[in-house]
Amino acid sequence: MYNKESGIKLNEKSRALLKEIATGITSNAAKTINDLREVINYSDWRYYVKDDPALADQEYDRLFEWLKKLEEQHPESVTPDSPTQRVAKGLTKEFPTVDHLVPMLSLDNSYNAEDLSEWDRRCREFVGDRDIEYCIEPKFDGAGISLIYENDLLTRGATRGDGVQGEDITMNLKQIRSIPLSAKFSSLSVHQIEIRGEVLINKNKFKQFNDQRLAENLPPLANPRNAASGSLRMIDPKEVGKRGLEAFLYHMSYLDFQEGKREPEAFETHYGTLNALSQLGFRTPVDIMKVVKGIDKVIDYCKTFENKRDELPYEIDGLVVKVNEYALQDKMGMTTHHPRWAMAYKFKPRQASSKLRKVEFQVGRTGTITPVAKIDPVPLSGVTVSSISMFNEDVIREKDIRVGDTILVERAGDVIPYIVKPLTDLRNGSEKEIVFPKHCPVCGDKLVKEPGESAWRCVNINCEAQVVERLVHFGSKDAMDIRNLGEANVKRFYELKLLRDIPGIYQLDFEKISQLEGFGKKSVDNLRTAIENSKQQPLHRLIFALGIRFVGETTAKTLAKAFHDLMELKNITEEKLLSLEDIGPKVAGAILQFFSNEDNIRMLEKLRSLGINMKNAGNKETASGTLSGLTFLFTGTLPSLKRSEAETLVESKGGKIAGSVSSKLNYLIAGEEAGSKLEKAKRINTVKILNEEEFLQMIKTE
Ligand code: IVH
């Protein structure tokens, strides 16, 4: 069982193990191997299930390496549930089709209070007229999975497939470290069990993943669900491991007890089962689920929860209400499509429809031509959408999008809006095919498309649009953050020949600018200060700002961490680049190409002579940031910062975002309409509660 007490004992164990590792001598290999596994499994649980790390990364790595080494020396001691067995060897050739022990059914859907009341009425017909106890939990928007454990060992993991048969993806699921390779089901007399759940990718990870795709000129994945299900079927398990997937288990579909043993109480209710699974080390919704009596309370809860969906770190598309007692569930049974004892309550879809009026073709900083749909403005989850990127020609052809179409637009949370499909039934024949240009709409050069790529590109690096976009990117918020150097100013300065290249930003003639119409003393001063301040930006921002192909924010951070000085990249080898996290041959090639170009090196030397920081020292945003070791949680609506911005701010300074309010939390930042989290935090003395202003003040001075 996993709990705090075992944590304390394991802390002692890990200290002893680290000491032993320091001496390099193991007297009792069998015992050390056992202890190492116990400590690593416990640490995985704290990190991946509880969001509350127990060991420093380096300590964890040392323990893991030692275990690998001892197992190599004592191959007979390797067990299938050793943490080392998560390490995949080679690629998956195929995912064999497997039968589920019990069909994986779907859920019936409800959309309002009436639907829920009607369902409750039907439930009471089965079980007698009384208030039924219901569990309410999130409806996770990921990819369904099924796990089988036999004699405590994970023996098979599969996708949902068609519900009757799925695909065996055991090795990929082993990469998700919140899924235990073994669990003490035998302590509950269980011989075999099949459990179901959902694999998800959290919103931050999803954003990081899409930023990288955008940097590689790939269309971003539409939503976290697609990212999760795509990740599960990748042929390289190592890649699956890098995606940061999480698994929530929410249903037990099959249970077989050891011979002669009786069913323990834990398995009499849905809540009891999830609680038992939690104690065995699984991630379940037990901490966030609600158990209530009677449908009225269910309805109240469903209504209030919808406003809180954005507070969760992952996407949910509704709630699931389940009859708690298994005895009642059994009375109700199933249809061929869904169980009668469960009901999904779906939130309003974050979709809208609008008319596509025209398509513009934008030239990006690397010359990529992006078709942008201009639509009649339409409100969608908090913003008004009027422009939607369609990424490339293939997307337009695959979806058969035409000018004049009524289109369905979707946007979940912070996800960029995208066109789901045209509503073809509404066509009247006047819709026009979208004609892709053959020449660059800005410089007129012929466009090219490289084999295997879906994007058309203008390869004239002096194309005005590209130069302007490169400059705009350099100064943009996530790059050097030069607030007053937006697109309009860059274009204007470029046309007036006041600004032609990146070093030129630091040599602007403010005298001339102050004579331009619309530029007062204050705006010139602001611009000058913003440019001056940008010289001390951390190295990763400069790397990202350079606009090297395929180098997004994540890769830029990886590079900045690995090198002390940007110029070290001048002599870098491909081998060294490939040894870094998340860098593959394509990205490495682009980096090598950038740093072998003499014009680029001259530009960097110029930037250095102009005083731009190129070193990692003095970088305030590295892992040892000012907030390192502290945990934060945001609740309610903040007056100026978006939730994602506030979280990024914390992470960029080394702080961590907590999953829930607990005694481990250091700061709760509460905005308007902060609800239960604020109440809970008030009850815990050690949690400091701040408003946005106090938070901003604190991170400034920390
Ligand atoms: S219970 C026999 N609980 O939604 C009933 N399903 O639209 C088993 N889902 O196929 C399902 N969150 O993949 C259940 N808390 C939750 C869920 C959940 C998401 C998925 C599941 C199901 C689909 C139906």
Side-chain angles (χ1 to χ4, degrees):
M1 300 281 159
Y2 285 99
N3 54 39
K4 286 277 130 74
E5 283 110 69
S6 60
I8 295 161
K9 269 188 242 133
L10 286 167
N11 257 340
E12 281 163 28
K13 239 179 220 176
S14 67
R15 270 197 298 276
L17 285 166
L18 287 164
K19 261 192 210 153
E20 185 180 309
I21 293 171
T23 66
I25 304 164
T26 293
S27 49
N28 183 344
K31 179 177 181 313
T32 302
I33 287 175
N34 212 24
D35 286 355
L36 282 165
R37 286 179 192 156
E38 219 180 328
V39 170
I40 291 170
N41 284 336
Y42 177 75
S43 167
D44 278 346
W45 176 73
R46 285 282 294 265
Y47 191 101
Y48 294 101
V49 178
K50 288 281 148 194
D51 271 342
D52 180 16
L55 286 178
D57 288 359
Q58 270 181 352
E59 290 173 338
Y60 180 93
D61 292 346
R62 288 221 301 277
L63 296 169
F64 203 96
E65 285 309 310
W66 194 242
L67 175 61
K68 265 199 332 215
K69 198 164 158 201
L70 291 181
E71 284 187 356
E72 267 162 30
Q73 289 166 4
H74 304 272
E76 74 290 348
S77 71
V78 180
T79 56
D81 62 338
S82 171
T84 57
Q85 300 309 296
R86 290 193 195 268
V87 181
K89 299 165 193 83
L91 303 180
T92 311
K93 288 199 189 66
E94 58 168 348
F95 299 108
T97 304
V98 289
D99 295 331
H100 294 301
L101 294 187
V102 176
M104 278 176 91
L105 296 185
S106 212
L107 288 170
D108 200 3
N109 290 326
S110 69
Y111 300 91
N112 50 43
E114 289 73 56
D115 294 349
L116 284 171
S117 297
E118 172 56 23
W119 172 60
D120 174 62
R121 197 191 53 69
R122 290 199 304 270
C123 289
R124 281 184 291 128
E125 269 176 19
F126 277 98
V127 302
D129 194 10
R130 62 187 167 105
D131 273 352
I132 297 173
E133 191 164 69
Y134 292 111
C135 297
I136 313 159
E137 61 196 45
K139 183 170 186 321
F140 300 102
D141 199 10
I145 55 157
S146 147
L147 304 174
I148 298 178
Y149 287 80
E150 206 171 326
N151 297 323
D152 292 347
L153 274 186
L154 170 65
T155 52
R156 193 185 84 184
T159 60
R160 179 176 192 278
D162 63 6
V164 177
Q165 293 185 313
E167 283 174 305
D168 186 331
I169 51 162
T170 314
M171 201 56 220
N172 282 357
L173 288 173
K174 282 185 180 176
Q175 307 310 312
I176 303 175
R177 299 227 235 144
S178 58
I179 297 181
L181 296 186
S182 65
K184 275 260 168 257
F185 283 110
S186 51
S187 65
L188 295 166
S189 314
V190 173
H191 161 65
Q192 193 189 29
I193 186 168
E194 186 182 51
I195 47 184
R196 304 242 161 108
E198 205 89 353
V199 166
L200 315 169
I201 183 162
N202 85 26
K203 291 177 194 163
N204 280 342
K205 280 267 157 47
F206 177 64
K207 182 167 182 305
Q208 259 179 27
F209 174 69
N210 264 352
D211 284 348
Q212 189 57 36
R213 284 183 65 93
L214 284 172
E216 294 182 29
N217 283 339
L218 296 168
L221 296 188
N223 50 50
R225 175 184 35 191
N226 291 1
S229 54
S231 303
L232 283 186
R233 297 189 70 265
M234 284 194 304
I235 56 165
D236 186 352
K238 278 199 210 74
E239 289 299 315
V240 182
K242 289 183 189 165
R243 292 276 171 100
L245 302 172
E246 302 176 23
F248 277 90
L249 281 309
Y250 49 62
H251 179 62
M252 175 184 74
S253 43
Y254 177 83
L255 189 59
D256 181 26
F257 288 99
Q258 292 165 341
E259 258 186 60
K261 292 284 173 57
R262 286 198 35 226
E263 178 170 343
E265 258 173 46
F267 295 122
E268 286 177 5
T269 61
H270 174 62
Y271 180 84
T273 301
L274 294 196
N275 205 21
L277 289 176
S278 267
Q279 290 187 7
L280 289 171
F282 292 87
R283 187 162 208 169
T284 75
V286 78
D287 296 332
I288 40 175
M289 74 198 270
K290 181 106 181 153
V291 186
V292 296
K293 238 187 181 159
I295 202 69
D296 292 345
K297 292 207 179 99
V298 171
I299 292 170
D300 283 350
Y301 189 78
C302 288
K303 279 187 183 157
T304 51
F305 200 91
E306 187 155 359
N307 303 325
K308 293 200 205 142
R309 72 193 282 196
D310 287 334
E311 285 187 19
L312 293 174
Y314 37 79
E315 275 302 319
I316 66 171
D317 57 350
L319 293 166
V320 184
V321 189
K322 295 175 181 168
V323 171
N324 191 23
E325 273 179 59
Y326 285 154
L328 299 190
Q329 288 190 3
D330 291 344
K331 271 193 191 162
M332 300 178 69
M334 330 239 177
T335 71
T336 49
H337 171 260
H338 59 259
R340 292 197 186 89
W341 43 262
M343 178 61 84
Y345 173 81
K346 300 278 280 226
F347 295 150
K348 283 175 208 73
R350 307 204 229 212
Q351 286 183 340
S353 61
S354 180
K355 245 264 165 348
L356 197 170
R357 295 292 173 192
K358 63 173 180 176
V359 177
E360 284 180 5
F361 295 91
Q362 289 179 355
V363 187
R365 62 189 156 84
T366 56
T368 309
I369 310 293
T370 305
V372 178
K374 297 287 174 183
I375 63 167
D376 287 344
V378 60
L380 188 53
S381 52
V383 299
T384 301
V385 181
S386 56
S387 275
I388 308 177
S389 169
M390 294 186 286
F391 305 108
N392 58 45
E393 193 178 10
D394 294 351
V395 172
I396 296 176
R397 301 285 165 253
E398 272 158 28
K399 296 189 177 171
D400 184 22
I401 303 168
R402 302 179 195 174
V403 174
D405 264 337
T406 304
I407 45 149
L408 191 62
V409 187
E410 192 170 284
R411 173 178 183 267
D414 285 339
V415 176
I416 351 175
Y418 70 100
I419 297 179
V420 181
K421 58 177 182 186
L423 300 175
T424 45
D425 290 353
L426 300 180
R427 281 184 179 159
N428 62 15
S430 69
E431 297 75 18
K432 301 230 155 43
E433 195 191 329
I434 297 169
V435 186
F436 223 85
K438 294 271 174 289
H439 293 91
C440 172
V442 176
C443 72
D445 259 28
K446 204 163 186 303
L447 299 180
V448 296
K449 193 190 227 177
E450 279 157 31
E453 300 239 343
S454 13
W456 286 97
R457 291 182 65 211
C458 164
V459 288
N460 167 17
I461 57 161
N462 295 316
C463 166
E464 179 181 331
Q466 285 185 51
V467 179
V468 169
E469 285 307 317
R470 280 201 292 272
L471 288 164
V472 171
H473 171 74
F474 188 85
S476 64
K477 203 167 123 290
D478 296 331
M480 296 299 263
D481 195 18
I482 309 178
R483 291 267 158 99
N484 311 57
L485 194 77
E487 177 134 18
N489 280 345
V490 169
K491 261 196 185 139
R492 199 160 166 207
F493 299 161
Y494 183 88
E495 276 157 17
L496 294 168
K497 299 202 169 54
L498 287 169
L499 176 60
R500 287 276 143 164
D501 56 15
I502 289 173
I505 296 175
Y506 297 95
Q507 299 168 301
L508 278 176
D509 186 339
F510 292 106
E511 201 55 41
K512 282 201 180 129
I513 292 177
S514 61
Q515 283 154 25
L516 298 178
E517 207 187 307
F519 273 92
K521 181 170 176 332
K522 188 141 190 261
S523 50
V524 174
D525 280 351
N526 284 346
L527 179 60
R528 196 202 314 259
T529 314
I531 292 176
E532 203 50 39
N533 287 347
S534 75
K535 290 182 177 172
Q536 292 314 317
Q537 287 288 14
L539 180 57
H540 69 83
R541 282 180 170 267
L542 175 65
I543 298 176
F544 177 56
L546 292 174
I548 305 167
R549 267 190 102 189
F550 311 142
V551 175
E553 273 182 274
T554 316
T555 310
K557 282 185 185 161
T558 307
L559 290 170
K561 245 196 233 164
F563 302 98
H564 298 294
D565 188 305
L566 183 60
M567 286 307 192
E568 283 173 39
L569 280 161
K570 221 165 61 173
N571 306 315
I572 199 67
T573 61
E574 182 177 18
E575 198 188 350
K576 170 78 190 164
L577 284 172
L578 290 176
S579 73
L580 300 176
E581 204 181 328
D582 296 336
I583 295 188
K586 193 161 133 185
V587 182
I591 297 169
L592 290 172
Q593 197 182 6
F594 184 91
F595 285 93
S596 60
N597 178 322
E598 282 184 14
D599 288 340
N600 290 338
I601 299 298
R602 259 197 299 279
M603 172 192 53
L604 292 176
E605 273 159 4
K606 182 98 205 183
L607 284 177
R608 165 160 282 171
S609 72
L610 289 163
I612 284 79
N613 168 47
M614 292 195 178
K615 288 198 188 305
N616 218 343
N619 173 353
K620 296 199 197 89
E621 296 189 20
T622 48
S624 61
T626 47
L627 302 183
S628 80
L630 297 176
T631 54
F632 291 77
L633 187 64
F634 294 88
T635 184
T637 318
L638 302 178
S640 66
L641 288 173
K642 269 208 254 164
R643 175 74 51 89
S644 56
E645 285 170 358
E647 291 182 351
T648 313
L649 214 57
V650 167
E651 283 169 347
S652 70
K653 291 182 185 291
K656 219 178 156 267
I657 304 298
S660 60
V661 177
S662 74
S663 58
K664 288 270 168 341
L665 180 67
N666 299 111
Y667 291 96
L668 181 83
I669 292 74
E672 260 176 58
E673 287 178 39
S676 60
K677 284 188 187 148
L678 179 58
E679 292 312 312
K680 192 165 173 200
K682 280 183 184 161
R683 277 182 259 127
I684 306 175
N685 284 336
T686 50
V687 179
K688 293 195 195 72
I689 300 168
L690 306 178
N691 63 25
E692 186 193 78
E693 203 186 324
E694 291 163 336
F695 163 69
L696 288 171
Q697 198 57 34
M698 170 184 129
I699 58 171
K700 225 177 40 241
T701 51
E702 277 275 344

